[in-house]
Amino acid sequence: MITGDRIKICAIISLALHAGTVNPANAAQCGTTAAGFEAWKQQFAGEARAKGISAPTITALMEANYATATIAADRGQKSFRLSLDQFLAKRGGSVIIARGRALKQSYAGLFTSIEQRFGVPPGPLLAIWGMETAFGRQRGNQNTLSAVATLAYDCRRSAYFTEQLYAALSLIDRGILSADTRGSMHGEIGQTQFLPKSILTYGNGGNLDNAADALTSTANFLAAHGWRAGEGYQPGQANFQAIQAWNAAPVYQRAIALIGQQIDEGDAASARR
């Protein structure tokens, strides 16, 4: 039970914490249409400059365009509301499994090395690779900086994508990305579709357009999110939480787990036949 005095104390603490997290009056203000994007860029550029982002990178930000296609994609993610069977059919689950089994053999040395280093078996990595880009064939053609800047400006998930935008600007400053880098609609990059902040944290310094670097970085991501070697990764098992960290959509998580399992079990099933 909370007494009256404790309620007052809690309220004071809450107000103090809230006051410490409220954006200053001159912070860049989010919007819901293209109308305020140019003004927002001006405001955000001042904040980024104060955080040490270089002048050439600020110039690149100012040249970013409002990504109408990104906003449409962000509002239209209807496939995540499908059942698992519907989702697998729409995303070509059987094709991913068949292709994944073949790639598991042709990349056998790489996957052995990855599993020894990170404890992550081939199946979930191949499932992610196939689901994200059809094994590198569909990496997107959206300007990454414009996409991430648009989503940072958009009020729907402004805080989340503001972090991604600062990461993208930092990557441009370091020469890892350029103002012309292209990827998917939400700013994802490379064979397995890393967002800018994940590139900074888990990218291993590799080229994510290279399959080996991307798969190694993906295993690094999963390991950093609690993957335990030798444990299962289906719903309810120890490693499913790492798959959940990769993508927030429950149907996507279950699809990765199921496809990965069928890829990993392919050799055993073939041997039994």
Side-chain angles (χ1 to χ4, degrees):
M1 180 180 293
I2 300 178
T3 66
D5 287 342
R6 288 179 66 190
I7 290 174
K8 291 176 183 177
I9 292 169
C10 289
I12 292 168
I13 293 172
S14 177
L15 287 170
L17 290 173
H18 182 69
T21 57
V22 171
N23 288 333
N26 62 348
Q29 299 299 301
C30 69
T32 56
T33 70
F37 186 60
E38 293 301 319
W40 174 87
K41 283 195 299 183
Q42 292 283 353
Q43 291 177 299
F44 192 92
E47 297 171 25
R49 194 177 294 109
K51 290 180 180 289
I53 300 299
S54 72
T57 299
I58 296 294
T59 298
L61 172 64
M62 295 307 299
E63 293 173 353
N65 297 312
Y66 184 82
T68 304
T70 287
I71 293 298
D74 192 56
R75 301 290 188 269
Q77 301 182 71
K78 296 179 181 178
S79 65
F80 289 152
R81 296 195 289 270
L82 299 174
S83 70
L84 179 59
D85 287 343
Q86 291 170 330
F87 185 77
L88 288 169
K90 183 177 180 63
R91 301 295 288 265
S94 60
V95 174
I96 293 172
I97 291 165
R99 179 66 175 149
R101 288 174 176 171
L103 288 168
K104 180 182 174 182
Q105 299 302 317
S106 58
Y107 283 80
L110 172 65
F111 286 117
T112 297
S113 174
I114 288 174
E115 188 163 11
Q116 289 173 345
R117 181 177 175 186
F118 297 104
V120 182
L125 298 175
L126 285 157
I128 289 170
W129 190 15
M131 189 78 76
E132 293 286 357
T133 66
F135 303 106
R137 292 193 297 271
Q138 299 169 8
R139 280 174 273 173
N141 195 35
Q142 176 70 38
N143 180 274
T144 297
L145 184 56
S146 290
V148 177
T150 298
L151 291 167
Y153 159 72
D154 187 66
C155 289
R156 182 168 177 260
R157 289 187 287 172
S158 181
Y160 178 81
F161 278 99
T162 293
E163 291 186 355
Q164 299 296 337
L165 179 54
Y166 274 119
L169 296 175
S170 178
L171 289 165
I172 293 172
D173 263 356
R174 299 181 190 188
I176 297 171
L177 300 183
S178 76
D180 297 324
T181 295
R182 292 187 171 270
S184 291
M185 286 297 179
H186 290 76
E188 309 96 329
I189 298 161
Q191 295 271 346
T192 57
Q193 300 288 274
F194 269 59
L195 283 166
K197 190 175 178 181
S198 290
I199 296 174
L200 281 176
T201 309
Y202 310 108
N204 279 352
N207 175 8
L208 295 179
D209 284 324
N210 173 276
D213 287 344
L215 292 165
T216 301
S217 296
T218 304
N220 185 37
F221 177 99
L222 295 174
H225 286 84
W227 193 281
R228 300 197 323 230
E231 299 288 341
Y233 54 85
Q234 297 307 298
Q237 296 181 322
N239 288 324
F240 189 65
Q241 64 176 356
I243 292 174
Q244 290 177 303
W246 181 265
N247 189 291
V251 71
Y252 190 103
Q253 297 161 2
R254 289 184 292 142
I256 291 298
L258 181 60
I259 290 171
Q261 182 181 52
Q262 294 195 31
I263 292 172
D264 277 338
E265 292 180 348
D267 292 340
S270 296
R272 288 195 296 271
R273 292 197 297 270

